Amino acid sequence: FPSHDIVGMSGAGKPFALNAEGNIDPSFLGIGSTDESIVVKASETIEAGKYVNIYYTTETLVRKADAQLSRPCIGFVKEQVQAGDLANVYLYGFSPKDPTIVGSKYYLGESGNAVTIPDKSTAGIVQLLGMGINEQAVYFKIYEYLKIV
């Protein structure tokens, strides 16, 4: 993410860098700044394209979603984020996944990954994430999950 030391009155008039897509990084706009994403502090390193779980301890944090650990998916990240840094969590839309099987349903797997066949053999959850819409993307939407006991 671009530097956050230009916020507030002391940051007035200072330049900032655009993100890799050539846009103003949503983290500059704060939580709830867009309809499709929120900014949340990462509790662990999360690689680009991973599906994530938002939870609360003493603060709101984001980590990798995981079906085996019963951590339901609430969104995904498009860029890698380090533990302690702010992550842009996308709540719906085109999630980068390469390769994708067009027309296949994708379910939450382990460590923020998507799978085409959910593991129903052990305790955890089964959660639909979306459908492959082209060779590089899954259309993601938040779906309810089923608890496996």
Side-chain angles (χ1 to χ4, degrees), residues 77-140:
V77 295
K78 292 182 180 180
E79 298 174 340
Q80 180 169 319
V81 61
Q82 300 297 320
D85 289 346
L86 295 176
N88 286 317
V89 177
Y90 293 85
L91 305 175
Y92 66 89
F94 300 101
S95 168
K97 174 155 177 35
D98 190 23
T100 299
I101 302 169
V102 177
S104 287
K105 290 181 180 178
Y106 282 84
Y107 298 87
L108 180 61
E110 295 181 49
S111 298
N113 292 310
V115 297
T116 54
I117 300 172
D119 182 2
K120 297 181 260 184
S121 64
T122 59
I125 61 173
V126 172
Q127 183 181 19
L128 177 65
L129 298 177
M131 183 168 287
I133 50 96
N134 65 32
E135 289 79 19
Q136 292 90 30
V138 170
Y139 185 77
F140 170 81

Side-chain angles (χ1 to χ4, degrees), residues 12-75:
K14 290 185 180 178
F16 57 90
L18 299 178
N19 66 15
E21 297 169 348
N23 299 316
I24 296 173
D25 197 283
S27 64
F28 277 105
L29 306 174
I31 293 177
S33 58
T34 70
D35 290 338
E36 67 179 33
S37 69
I38 59 173
V39 178
V40 184
K41 184 178 175 182
S43 63
E44 63 184 0
T45 297
I46 305 170
E47 297 81 15
K50 295 291 184 180
Y51 293 94
V52 296
N53 167 262
I54 296 175
Y55 67 105
Y56 183 84
T57 54
T58 57
E59 63 183 322
T60 302
L61 299 168
V62 63
R63 62 188 171 193
K64 291 176 224 165
D66 193 298
Q68 298 302 314
L69 298 175
S70 296
R71 295 178 179 171
C73 180
I74 194 73

